[in-house]
Amino acid sequence: MGLQLRITFNDTDYAYQIINSKLIDQHTTELELMLDGEKLELQKDNKRGWIQKDGNNSLDPELIQALGRSVSLRLRM
């Protein structure tokens, strides 16, 4: 795991870490993150947006999108 990263979404701050960031490249379609101490798996959908893997909808879909975009921009995916 790497540095703890931060994102602000709807006036709320979240801290997350990217798990196995060395395996991420421009063709990556799945991400594993630690969000506030909980493991979170993201997957790119057909529209190239981000969703929670395995249909798990425990978090706001817009927050998932924001996390995916944040990682994509940081790692130039």
Side-chain angles (χ1 to χ4, degrees):
M1 283 196 262
L3 292 172
Q4 187 164 343
L5 305 170
R6 299 178 61 81
I7 186 171
T8 302
F9 178 76
N10 285 343
D11 297 326
T12 304
D13 289 331
Y14 296 93
Y16 69 96
Q17 290 179 309
I18 303 168
I19 301 173
N20 294 334
S21 63
K22 294 181 186 212
L23 301 176
I24 297 174
D25 62 14
Q26 62 197 19
H27 304 292
T28 300
T29 59
E30 294 183 3
L31 298 172
E32 288 185 2
L33 306 175
M34 289 293 287
L35 177 65
D36 293 332
E38 294 183 32
K39 187 175 178 181
L40 177 65
E41 295 181 354
L42 306 183
Q43 181 177 16
K44 262 190 189 174
D45 65 3
N46 297 340
K47 300 174 191 169
R48 308 227 358 115
W50 292 96
I51 58 173
Q52 276 187 276
K53 189 174 178 180
D54 299 329
N56 186 357
N57 294 324
S58 61
L59 294 174
D60 183 353
E62 292 180 10
L63 173 59
I64 300 299
Q65 265 308 90
L67 286 167
R69 279 194 310 265
S70 176
V71 172
S72 296
L73 290 172
R74 289 177 191 274
L75 299 180
R76 299 180 184 178
M77 293 174 62

